Amino acid sequence: MNRPADNTLRIALSDAGISRRDFLGFCATLAAAYALPASSVIVIAAALENASRTSVIWLSFQECTGCTESLTRSHTPTIEGLILEQVSLDYHHTLQAASGEAAERAREESMRANAGKYLLVVDGSVPLGNPGYSTIAGVSNFDMLMETAKGAAAVIAVGTCAAYGGLPAAQPNPTGAVPVSQLIKDKPVINVPGCPPIPVVITGVLAHFLTFGTLPELDGRGRPTIFYGESIHDRCYRRPSYDQGKFAESFDDEGARKGWCLFKLGCKGPVTHNACATTKWNNGVSFPIQSGHGCLGCAEPDFWDMGSFYKALSMPATPVRKAVAGAAAAGVGAGVAVAFANRAKKAAAKAAHETVKVEDLTKKP
Amino acid sequence: MSASLQRGVNAFKEVIDAPVAAFFASCVHCGLCAESCLFYTETGDPQYTPIHKLEPLRRVWQQEYTLLGRLAKLVGLAKPVTDAELAAWSPLVYDSCSMCGRCSMVCPVGNDITLMIRKMREGMAAAGHAPEGLVTATQRSIQSGSPAGVKWVTVQAQIKRMQKQFGIDIPVNLENADYLVLMSSWEILNYPEYLGSVGRILDNAGATWTLSEHAYEATNSGIQIGVSDLARELVGRIVKAAEDLKVKCVISPECGHAYTALRWEGPNLMGRRFGFEVKHILEVLDDLRRSGRLKLKGSIDKPLTYHDPCQISRRGGVHQQPRALLRQIAPQFREMSDPGVMNWCCGGGGGVSANERAEPLRTIAFKRKKAQIEKLGVNTVVTSCANCRVVIEEALEHYHMNIELLGLTELVAEHLAED
Amino acid sequence: MSGLELLTWARGPGLVLAVGICIFGVILRLIEILALGRQADLASPRQNSTGSGWRTIFTRSLPPPGMLRRAPLTYLGGYVFHIGMAIAVFFFVPHIELFRGLLGLRWPGLPNPLVDIASIAAIIALLALLVGRLVDPVKRLLTNAGDWLAWALTFVPLITGYSAYHHLFENYTLTLAVHIVSVELLLVLLPFSKLFHVFSLFIARWYNGEISGRKGVAS
């Protein structure tokens, strides 16, 4: 691309008052995340600055718009937000100006014009129960997903709902919510879980596609390995206090003030894979544990059903007391039954006893 | 299933109680009982591992008295106890176990293995798998009153000898005496000085005592072979005599299992408490010593040691008394290794000495005692069980050991300070 | 089933099931044993034996004179394994949280490196005991399938717990889930295997001490 188009990111950035230094810093973050050499920072920057507009269709199903919020974060223009704006977001019913039939037409036109090349971003889960549970312009989520996915180059399932079913799929899953990956089998589905996902993770995936024209390396769950390869616990700055056995016992005790490990207060960091502890939130300001609250495990499947957020990971997820009482009662019942049977057997043996006489001792079998 | 096997298995079912169930349920197969058993330590043969000797009884417990075992039996998964198996186990239960009780002291989960051997013998004997030697001894006990076939006339002859030798009067069938004195066949035949010694000591203490024409024999083959029905008959003779004569106390002689039979098993066999006390002769001697009625003089001027008879010491609780007595007369008394309740058996207890089949094994097992004595380096061993005495004497002969073996009661009598 | 799904199952229904079966089995077996009863001993005791059973419950944890030298592997291996295992089970903070969740009781934990050392010691001891079992003729004679099962049921939770803590496998969540499931398997089979000795040995030792105590022998 010799001559940058008028509407490239470079112009948008300068319009928004974001310096080139900040932009290169962002590119360096991405390069580091993808484990690329320092020289690639320029390549990424150039690719992003000059990228031609890739068409993106964003479908929102059973969701809360938190994922979009996370990405656009009202008021403050960010590099992440601008990148998103930089792509040709042809359809996003929260962000687009058009409404009603015009909006749907925009989607259909984009699908036609960019067949096989556009990116499909989905947030929210798809209800398989009653198609009427969630519709857009009278079209069920399932139908719209299948129709739109047909011509997509790849599908990005943003947020835990799209990636794993999320809250709508929580027990007892009344709408029959399923993740995108359960429905789309014929093309790559990238899962970007989190409730919501970290903005840089969403844009990081987009940036990879824009820069290299390919998708980043994915793990067995379809997640970009670079962001989801390690657990929060592994990267947590409070990890040393876990190893030393220093734990906060309540949210306002000495340990909590000293910043000790929140394991006992229910932190799910050990089994949660996400980049919170490294990239952090709000431009690297903080993340939940740093703010004094344990990880909820929101980037993991069924996090809502993993028991109380405030129960330690090693604690029973469901109450056992009733079962214990029942088992004890059953044990007593069975024990008494066996005891009676045993005593009857022994009594019978005693009754069957024939006095042993000396003659009996020589009776050879 | 043959009728005798059925009786045996039935007896197994009868003897299994809560302790046995707890013991079998607790065994972790650690093998430490083997390390405590002289039949294993002296042979290195793993089949002599104490808990292994109980395998048929364990299976009956599992199959009859545990829920899972009962279910397994119901669906045909249980391996039944057979005659062939019991026959194979007979040498383990009778020849390689002197019921010394050492394993019961060592078992880390607390299994009283010896108690279970005693119970298992009930089934073995009922099934006809007791060894011939023990069967013969039991028959003689029931029929003639003594496992060695000693009759009252023999006792009478010894009474006469002892009266002359010790210059005492030996009362027979005396009513209301303080003590009824019993003997074991070995004492009647080999060590009659026991009778004279006891008589002298009791006379000197001013106690009244008697022998009974109807109960002079204290041993109880029924206990050893494991037939409570017969053991009860044998104990019953003593109980009847003692109660007929209205004695205050029956003195169990220097014989290990006689003490167990009369003192600990007796009331349980009879199903009632006795109207008299039962004491081992050493308890009586020590009581007299403490009350000042037994005064001793002089001392033995040579190093000697004491061999604890298992049934008297570990299984009977009489282990301080012999030491208290010995300290008075033997300044050079020295303890063997593992003294008192952790002693090593001579190898002939629990009916092993009456079981000819076990003789070669018993001789090997004695190597433990031999090593102990040799390590200590004394030439005089005192004990208080006629059976130990016979077994040790035979073994000393076999191993050409020049060791003097003494009975403690006789030793005490020799140092009596007569008024 | 993913690691997290297995973990969630293991922390929820799996745990309820395992604890339930364990309690059911333990109570059943305790009644099964105790209800067999025993006849009152009519022989008058030499001394008041009150407390002798309780005393033996404690004293039987120590080797009798001379035995340590005769069977050092069994004793030392047994001690290191039992103590190491007890430290790992009862003093690792996440485990204490489990007990808090189950029993409502809590006590101070130990720093992880100490728990780590205890676990390694227990693992090594268990391996040594396994070798001992394979080599020693007495143990070989006594060993049956139940012994291998009990060994494995004990070893797997130790090794998976160790692996989970040290992230020896890529998938921590799955390792943790397998660890918890292995403990649940242990709980389920405990009442019905020789592992039941953790309960019955107190009864066995008590009877032993009581029987000896009446005769005036401290066993």
Side-chain angles (χ1 to χ4, degrees):
Chain A
M1 228 169 282
N2 295 327
R3 200 179 62 81
D6 290 348
N7 53 0
T8 57
L9 187 61
R10 181 199 305 243
I11 293 161
L13 285 170
S14 73
D15 285 354
I18 289 170
S19 71
R20 182 156 174 83
R21 174 183 289 272
D22 288 342
F23 177 64
L24 286 177
F26 172 79
C27 295
T29 305
L30 282 184
Y34 285 112
L36 296 170
S39 57
S40 64
V41 172
I42 301 300
V43 178
I44 293 172
L48 287 178
E49 282 176 335
N50 299 323
S52 67
R53 294 170 62 102
T54 299
S55 179
V56 170
I57 295 174
W58 186 304
L59 298 177
S60 297
F61 299 143
Q62 295 194 125
E63 49 84 45
C64 68
T65 320
C67 297
T68 304
E69 281 294 329
S70 168
L71 197 55
T72 55
R73 255 181 319 187
S74 54
H75 306 308
T76 316
T78 62
I79 298 165
E80 291 98 317
L82 286 168
I83 285 176
L84 185 67
E85 282 173 28
Q86 240 358 78
V87 297
S88 177
L89 192 53
D90 292 333
Y91 178 86
H92 185 306
H93 63 213
T94 306
L95 300 179
Q96 70 193 133
S99 64
E101 285 174 8
E104 292 310 305
R105 230 177 0 256
R107 177 175 65 88
E108 282 153 18
E109 273 168 19
S110 177
M111 282 165 63
R112 224 178 357 260
N114 303 295
K117 290 186 287 188
Y118 62 88
L119 278 178
L120 173 59
V121 178
V122 179
D123 67 335
S125 61
V126 181
L128 292 188
N130 185 326
Y133 281 147
S134 177
T135 62
I136 298 163
V139 180
S140 75
N141 289 170
F142 175 79
D143 289 343
M144 188 176 282
L145 173 66
M146 299 317 276
E147 183 195 346
T148 316
K150 220 175 281 169
V155 182
I156 305 177
V158 167
T160 303
C161 297
Y164 302 133
L167 296 199
Q171 294 294 345
N173 192 358
T175 64
V178 296
V180 171
S181 58
Q182 194 173 317
L183 302 172
I184 308 296
K185 300 285 184 194
D186 59 345
K187 56 191 62 189
V189 176
I190 306 138
N191 283 331
V192 185
C195 188
I198 305 169
V200 73
V201 176
I202 306 176
T203 48
V205 174
L206 288 175
H208 195 283
F209 191 75
L210 296 176
T211 309
F212 303 107
T214 58
L215 297 170
E217 185 197 335
L218 305 178
D219 67 11
R221 277 242 173 82
R223 300 176 296 193
T225 318
I226 46 151
F227 297 113
Y228 296 93
E230 283 173 298
S231 71
I232 305 286
H233 187 61
D234 289 339
R235 286 289 170 190
C236 182
Y237 75 105
R238 297 196 187 197
R239 176 63 185 267
S241 68
Y242 171 84
D243 289 333
Q244 290 158 17
K246 293 176 177 168
F247 296 91
E249 305 282 341
S250 73
F251 285 111
D252 56 357
D253 71 353
E254 188 63 21
R257 273 191 286 280
K258 283 185 174 155
W260 287 353
C261 177
L262 299 167
F263 180 87
K264 286 187 177 183
L265 293 170
C267 182
K268 302 295 183 291
V271 293
T272 305
H273 296 79
N274 206 344
C276 302
T278 40
T279 64
K280 303 195 180 175
W281 291 74
N282 300 327
N283 284 331
V285 171
S286 182
F287 73 113
I289 293 170
Q290 199 172 347
S291 310
H293 193 287
C295 169
L296 303 184
C298 76
E300 293 293 334
D302 302 325
F303 78 96
W304 199 257
D305 292 325
M306 278 163 63
S308 166
F309 290 153
Y310 301 101
K311 267 192 182 170
L313 192 59
S314 56
M315 280 179 121
T318 43
V320 291
R321 241 158 244 183
K322 229 185 250 174
V324 165
V332 170
V336 168
V338 176
F340 271 108
N342 281 351
R343 291 178 79 103
K345 185 175 274 186
K346 196 171 163 180
K350 281 207 161 42
H353 179 90
E354 294 171 56
T355 304
V356 181
K357 298 184 212 64
V358 273
E359 305 87 73
D360 298 326
L361 301 176
T362 45
K363 265 189 202 151
K364 287 292 163 196
Chain B
M1 195 187 278
S2 69
S4 57
L5 178 63
Q6 197 153 8
R7 287 181 78 171
V9 172
N10 194 67
F12 286 160
K13 289 193 221 171
E14 282 181 77
V15 296
I16 291 168
D17 56 3
V20 171
F23 297 155
F24 280 135
S26 298
C27 180
V28 291
H29 295 167
C30 71
L32 286 175
C33 52
E35 302 294 341
S36 74
C37 174
L38 78 170
F39 291 97
Y40 170 74
T41 61
E42 304 315 301
T43 62
D45 187 339
Q47 68 167 328
Y48 297 137
T49 302
I51 197 73
H52 176 66
K53 300 168 190 169
L54 294 161
E55 179 57 17
L57 182 66
R58 188 196 68 79
R59 284 220 314 283
V60 170
W61 160 73
Q62 193 179 38
Q63 293 164 14
E64 305 295 337
Y65 293 122
T66 72
L67 179 63
L68 285 194
R70 279 163 161 263
L71 292 176
K73 193 183 168 192
L74 215 60
V75 297
L77 285 173
K79 186 179 156 201
V81 172
T82 62
D83 256 317
E85 186 183 15
L86 293 188
W89 248 260
S90 177
L92 300 183
V93 178
Y94 286 104
D95 304 13
S96 75
C97 178
S98 58
M99 299 215 283
C100 83
R102 211 165 181 277
C103 51
S104 299
M105 296 293 279
V106 163
C107 173
V109 296
N111 290 351
D112 192 343
I113 298 171
T114 315
L115 176 92
M116 295 198 280
I117 293 275
R118 166 68 184 86
K119 284 168 175 280
M120 183 163 170
R121 286 186 182 182
E122 292 280 342
M124 295 294 284
H129 290 290
E132 205 187 322
L134 263 177
V135 171
T136 313
T138 310
Q139 281 170 336
R140 277 200 223 109
S141 293
I142 294 292
Q143 283 147 13
S144 71
S146 151
V150 177
K151 297 212 170 65
W152 178 243
V153 287
T154 319
V155 181
Q156 280 176 311
Q158 294 289 30
I159 289 173
K160 272 185 205 144
R161 250 185 78 198
M162 288 303 114
Q163 294 195 133
K164 197 177 286 172
Q165 187 177 333
F166 283 81
I168 54 166
D169 181 42
I170 297 180
V172 173
N173 299 336
L174 177 72
E175 287 194 11
N176 296 311
D178 295 334
Y179 298 105
L180 170 64
V181 173
L182 303 176
M183 287 173 288
S184 67
S185 297
W186 293 121
E187 276 147 346
I188 302 166
L189 296 174
N190 294 12
Y191 315 114
E193 291 78 10
Y194 168 79
L195 178 59
S197 301
V198 171
R200 249 176 82 182
I201 293 167
L202 291 179
D203 282 351
N204 208 50
T208 54
W209 63 284
T210 185
L211 289 185
S212 165
E213 185 189 342
H214 306 291
Y216 49 89
E217 171 69 60
T219 62
N220 192 320
S221 298
I223 296 280
Q224 296 180 323
I225 200 168
V227 179
S228 287
D229 292 334
L230 300 175
R232 184 178 305 114
E233 189 176 334
L234 296 173
V235 168
R237 292 173 187 173
I238 298 169
V239 173
K240 183 170 187 307
E243 291 181 344
D244 284 351
L245 292 174
K246 299 185 274 292
V247 297
K248 295 190 187 72
C249 177
V250 173
I251 301 179
S252 185
E254 288 200 344
C255 170
H257 83 270
Y259 183 59
T260 292
L262 198 55
R263 173 70 174 88
W264 304 114
E265 286 212 26
N268 295 309
L269 289 168
M270 302 306 293
R272 65 180 176 89
R273 289 175 220 280
F274 301 153
F276 52 87
E277 272 191 289
V278 175
K279 284 190 173 171
H280 187 259
I281 179 64
L282 294 187
E283 289 179 273
V284 173
L285 296 183
D286 199 47
D287 284 351
L288 294 174
R289 178 189 67 80
R290 280 189 295 172
S291 63
R293 292 161 74 196
L294 172 65
K295 292 205 177 65
L296 301 171
K297 63 169 189 201
S299 61
I300 313 161
D301 227 14
K302 53 191 170 190
L304 55 79
T305 189
Y306 179 69
H307 163 73
D308 282 280
C310 310
Q311 297 301 318
I312 290 166
S313 180
R314 177 166 42 240
R315 304 297 282 183
V318 182
H319 49 92
Q320 284 148 357
Q321 294 86 338
R323 289 170 171 79
L325 292 164
L326 275 171
R327 269 193 290 271
Q328 298 247 313
I329 49 173
Q332 295 193 58
F333 166 62
R334 287 155 66 185
E335 290 283 15
M336 247 185 271
S337 53
D338 299 327
V341 296
M342 285 306 291
N343 79 309
W344 291 89
C345 179
C346 64
V352 174
S353 65
N355 172 3
E356 294 90 20
R357 189 178 69 186
E359 209 177 306
L361 185 59
R362 191 219 317 163
T363 309
I364 297 171
F366 184 78
K367 283 182 181 166
R368 170 59 49 169
K369 189 64 31 186
K370 177 172 177 278
Q372 279 187 294
I373 296 170
E374 282 169 351
K375 191 177 159 212
L376 190 65
V378 301
N379 293 318
T380 305
V381 177
V382 181
T383 190
S384 55
C385 167
N387 186 56
C388 292
R389 256 172 108 172
V390 171
V391 169
I392 295 174
E393 267 174 8
E394 280 181 17
L396 292 175
E397 193 76 21
H398 177 88
Y399 289 109
H400 309 295
M401 292 167 73
N402 191 19
I403 301 286
E404 180 188 23
L405 193 60
L406 303 171
L408 183 50
T409 306
E410 291 151 64
L411 202 60
V412 167
E414 280 167 28
H415 291 82
L416 201 58
E418 277 166 290
D419 297 329
Chain C
M1 197 183 242
S2 73
L4 196 70
E5 281 169 311
L6 186 63
L7 180 64
T8 305
W9 182 85
R11 291 179 57 220
L15 187 72
V16 170
L17 202 66
V19 170
I21 293 175
C22 182
I23 287 178
F24 167 83
V26 167
I27 291 177
L28 161 74
R29 296 235 36 212
L30 287 177
I31 296 176
E32 183 182 273
I33 289 170
L34 293 172
L36 277 170
R38 61 169 184 154
Q39 256 165 352
D41 186 0
L42 296 173
S44 56
R46 176 181 302 284
Q47 58 186 40
N48 182 357
S49 65
T50 317
S52 60
W54 299 104
R55 188 185 162 278
T56 298
I57 286 178
F58 291 100
T59 56
R60 206 41 85 92
S61 300
L62 301 169
M67 286 302 292
L68 189 60
R69 207 173 313 150
R70 278 207 69 90
L73 174 68
T74 310
Y75 276 106
L76 296 179
Y79 280 130
V80 172
F81 158 67
H82 279 98
I83 294 170
M85 177 101 170
I87 289 175
V89 170
F90 295 109
F91 291 100
F92 183 47
V93 171
H95 294 166
I96 298 174
E97 288 304 293
L98 172 66
F99 290 113
R100 188 157 70 91
L102 290 174
L103 308 168
L105 298 173
R106 63 199 303 187
W107 52 87
L110 286 174
N112 290 348
L114 288 184
V115 176
D116 200 31
I117 291 169
S119 313
I120 294 169
I123 289 170
I124 292 171
L126 215 45
L127 287 169
L129 289 170
L130 179 71
V131 172
R133 191 165 283 284
L134 288 165
V135 171
D136 179 54
V138 169
K139 289 201 181 87
R140 275 172 61 171
L141 176 76
L142 294 177
T143 299
N144 56 30
D147 292 288
W148 305 126
L149 176 74
W151 187 91
L153 284 173
T154 319
F155 188 74
V156 175
L158 268 174
I159 201 77
T160 51
Y162 181 83
S163 308
Y165 177 70
H166 286 281
H167 288 221
L168 292 190
F169 299 102
E170 179 80 18
N171 193 334
Y172 168 80
T173 310
L174 183 63
T175 315
L176 181 64
V178 170
H179 170 61
I180 296 176
V181 170
S182 71
V183 173
E184 284 164 2
L185 204 59
L186 174 83
L187 286 177
V188 165
L189 291 172
L190 184 142
F192 306 107
S193 64
K194 76 167 187 175
L195 297 171
F196 190 64
H197 77 273
V198 301
F199 289 96
S200 63
L201 82 79
F202 296 100
I203 308 174
R205 286 181 180 182
W206 188 89
Y207 279 132
N208 188 313
E210 158 70 15
I211 292 165
S212 295
R214 291 178 69 85
K215 295 177 178 173
V217 174
S219 71

